[in-house]
Amino acid sequence: MKIAVVGCRGFGNVHLKAYQQIRKEIDLETYVFSRDINNAKQCMNEFEANGYFISYDDVLSSDVDVVDLIVSHDSHESMGRSAMESGKHLMLEKPIGRTEEEGISLIETSNKTKVKFMVMENHYFDPSVWKAKELMAKLGRISAIIVRNTRFNSPSGWRRNKAMMGGGALIDGGIHYVDTLLNLGGEYKRIEGLCKSTFAGLEGEDTTEAIFDFGGFLGTLIYSWATESRYFPRFEIYGEHGSIVEDYKSRTSEKPYGNLILQLNGDETETIEVKKVNTVEEEIKGFLQSLIEGKNVPMNPTLALRDLKAVIDIYRSCGEI
């Protein structure tokens, strides 16, 4: 199987490092793309790729099987659609697009061309989320779910441009935490959001807080690139019989979430150990196995569209669009 990684710097580095490990398990040829020939050669050598491209048209006309697209958000729909129309299977780094229309276009193109398409939201592949979902039944009726991540991040380049991003921090890194909240909470009835642009240097917002009405309980989302704080749980679930809290002390660098702390009926807490995995490797391996085995992709792109719709609902609520 031949894969072209389009966008070999930035988060493309993370994908390329993952391929170095995955090649030990799956027979792959990897190729890198950069419009700068020196950058392309450097990426090829650094990550032991089989070759390089400096023209996207050459990628599309080549015999690669899969395009792994890691580019600015404004290029997701056009470059992703071109890849699938050229017969390439597509992995697309989140989000699925800047608008619902862009996301729907990609899903429809995948259905029309009969190629596989998956949006790369690695938090979806963190087993801590699904173990917490399983344990929620022990809590009885749920009252509140809190999901949050805050950091200092002042990116350069296209991430400062609201039109290219489709917004600000929330549609970029924040969509991962929207995904986690929806995987835990299910369908929401409405959203109330507040957004601010403070000092991260973005045209779009850098700090968002939103309340999700899930019907029987509330969800709270907090995401910021202007608030440094590492020492708190990234998600908490509260119910009539106790709580489930993510253990920040047990996180690893490759895995967004740590073990779980379960407390029931006021008794002593129990730590639930969760398998440590590299979530980027897991999502890529899952996609490749779907090709090898002829199965559905492990994260249906309609879920990525769901996450984008929630981001857009927050933006509408807080006046960003």
Side-chain angles (χ1 to χ4, degrees), residues 185-206:
E187 294 186 13
Y188 59 89
K189 296 182 178 295
R190 65 189 181 97
I191 292 175
E192 298 289 339
L194 290 172
C195 308
K196 291 292 181 182
S197 179
T198 62
F199 51 78
L202 310 179
E203 289 182 2
E205 91 300 331
D206 60 30

Side-chain angles (χ1 to χ4, degrees), residues 131-142:
K131 187 62 179 180
K133 181 77 171 178
E134 174 190 326
L135 292 170
M136 282 175 65
K138 295 179 178 289
L139 304 184
R141 290 178 298 175
I142 302 300

Side-chain angles (χ1 to χ4, degrees), residues 66-317:
V66 179
V67 170
D68 184 356
L69 199 57
I70 309 150
V71 294
S72 58
H73 299 173
D74 60 311
S75 299
H76 283 195
E77 194 274 338
S78 60
M79 294 180 73
R81 181 165 41 82
S82 296
M84 290 188 284
E85 288 175 344
S86 299
K88 314 301 185 189
H89 302 290
L90 178 65
M91 290 185 284
L92 175 66
E93 187 57 45
K94 54 75 190 160
I96 193 171
R98 297 170 298 173
T99 65
E100 293 179 43
E101 291 77 15
E102 289 182 352
I104 291 169
S105 171
L106 288 171
I107 292 172
E108 289 179 345
T109 301
S110 173
N111 292 335
K112 179 181 177 181
T113 58
K114 307 299 183 185
V115 299
K116 293 191 184 296
F117 166 48
M118 191 174 87
V119 179
M120 311 302 277
E121 292 192 24
N122 65 300
H123 288 41
Y124 182 86
F125 293 83
D126 193 317
S128 296
V129 176
W130 303 109
K131 187 62 179 180
K133 181 77 171 178
E134 174 190 326
L135 292 170
M136 282 175 65
K138 295 179 178 289
L139 304 184
R141 290 178 298 175
I142 302 300
S143 57
I145 301 175
I146 301 168
V147 177
R148 56 187 175 180
N149 182 263
T150 64
R151 63 185 69 186
F152 285 142
N153 185 26
S154 182
S156 59
W158 61 268
R159 282 186 168 84
R160 288 179 173 248
N161 185 298
K162 186 175 181 179
M164 295 179 75
M165 282 275 272
L170 183 65
I171 198 172
D172 194 63
I175 203 166
H176 286 307
Y177 298 91
V178 170
D179 180 70
T180 294
L181 180 56
L182 297 182
N183 289 332
L184 293 172
E187 294 186 13
Y188 59 89
K189 296 182 178 295
R190 65 189 181 97
I191 292 175
E192 298 289 339
L194 290 172
C195 308
K196 291 292 181 182
S197 179
T198 62
F199 51 78
L202 310 179
E203 289 182 2
E205 91 300 331
D206 60 30
T207 301
T208 298
E209 297 189 17
I211 303 296
F212 288 63
D213 180 357
F214 287 107
F217 60 93
L218 296 178
T220 300
L221 175 76
I222 303 170
Y223 190 76
S224 177
W225 283 355
T227 310
E228 175 69 7
S229 185
R230 303 175 185 176
Y231 307 110
F232 56 76
R234 287 183 176 165
F235 64 78
E236 305 165 60
I237 308 166
Y238 295 94
E240 60 182 329
H241 300 314
S243 63
I244 302 165
V245 176
E246 185 257 346
D247 178 15
Y248 70 86
K249 296 180 181 178
S250 62
R251 288 179 206 141
T252 62
S253 59
E254 298 85 7
K255 187 174 178 297
Y257 306 119
N259 294 328
L260 305 175
I261 300 172
L262 174 66
Q263 185 171 35
L264 296 174
N265 301 316
D267 295 336
E268 291 187 9
T269 59
E270 175 187 358
T271 298
I272 309 297
E273 297 282 342
V274 184
K275 183 180 179 182
K276 302 297 188 291
V277 298
N278 182 314
T279 54
V280 173
E281 289 182 18
E282 289 297 302
E283 65 181 350
I284 293 174
K285 283 193 293 186
F287 182 84
L288 298 180
Q289 286 297 138
S290 76
L291 295 179
I292 294 167
E293 299 172 8
K295 297 180 178 179
N296 293 332
V297 298
M299 180 180 174
N300 192 297
T302 58
L303 293 176
L305 184 62
R306 171 204 68 176
D307 298 342
L308 176 65
K309 286 179 177 178
V311 169
I312 291 170
D313 283 344
I314 293 171
Y315 281 163
R316 287 196 181 107
S317 176

